[in-house]
């Protein structure tokens, strides 16, 4: 069993992408010090503004991902979506909550939907 198993199929209206990451960091990695700003609107521009304004306070870019590190994704060319990197039996996955899908999911990194492109991997500060 992987630590991410218990975070699959949580409704998006219960935990959005940032809330899912925050909960997993608290419960699985003991990072109770991480509290992301809450979104005030569910639109791409707002999410992107939150991420770009606060990214440096929470994480720094790393070249090689490790299990549990952050994954920053571009949505329509903007830094607007986050998830967690999961390495399971040598296969990289991303745990994230997707509004269109309606819940959280763990997808193989190589099979992310076209609407997302990985911008980079991040170590939590």
């Amino acid at each position: 069993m992987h630590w991410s198993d218990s975070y699959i199929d949580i409704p998006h209206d219960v935990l959005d992408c940032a809330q899912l990451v925050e909960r997993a960091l608290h419960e699985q990695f003991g990072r109770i010090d991480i509290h992301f700003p809450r979104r005030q609107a569910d639109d791409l521009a707002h999410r992107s503004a939150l991420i770009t304004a606060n990214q440096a306070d929470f994480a720094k870019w790393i070249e090689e991902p490790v299990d549990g590190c952050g994954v920053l994704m571009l949505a329509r060319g903007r830094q607007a979506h986050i998830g967690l990197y999961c390495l399971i039996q040598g296969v990289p996955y991303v745990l994230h909550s997707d509004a269109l899908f309606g819940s959280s999911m763990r997808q193989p990194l190589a099979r992310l939907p076209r609407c997302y492109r990985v911008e980079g991997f991040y170590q939590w500060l």
Side-chain angles (χ1 to χ4, degrees), residues 16 20 25 35 37 41 58 71:
D16 66 20
L20 176 73
L25 289 173
H35 300 282
F58 292 99
V71 180

Side-chain angles (χ1 to χ4, degrees), residues 18-71:
Q19 292 167 322
L20 176 73
V21 168
E22 185 179 277
R23 180 177 288 179
L25 289 173
H26 290 185
E27 295 175 355
Q28 299 299 319
F29 299 95
R31 294 301 309 269
I32 58 172
D33 57 319
I34 292 180
H35 300 282
F36 299 124
R38 295 292 179 243
R39 64 181 164 86
Q40 304 303 310
D42 194 18
D43 66 77
L44 186 71
H46 178 68
R47 289 191 314 265
S48 179
L50 276 177
I51 288 172
T52 56
N54 295 284
Q55 174 184 332
D57 295 334
F58 292 99
K60 70 174 184 173
W61 185 86
I62 55 175
E63 192 166 325
E64 292 296 321
V66 295
D67 200 46
C69 76
V71 180

Side-chain angles (χ1 to χ4, degrees), residues 69-90:
C69 76
V71 180
L72 178 57
M73 290 167 267
L74 301 176
R76 288 185 271 169
R78 296 179 183 218
Q79 297 177 335
H81 192 56
I82 64 171
L84 290 170
Y85 182 84
C86 305
L87 189 61
I88 303 170
Q89 297 179 343

Side-chain angles (χ1 to χ4, degrees), residues 87-106:
L87 189 61
I88 303 170
Q89 297 179 343
V91 178
Y93 291 83
V94 177
L95 174 70
H96 65 114
S97 183
D98 185 83
L100 292 175
F101 185 73
S103 68
S104 58
M105 66 182 95
R106 186 179 59 210

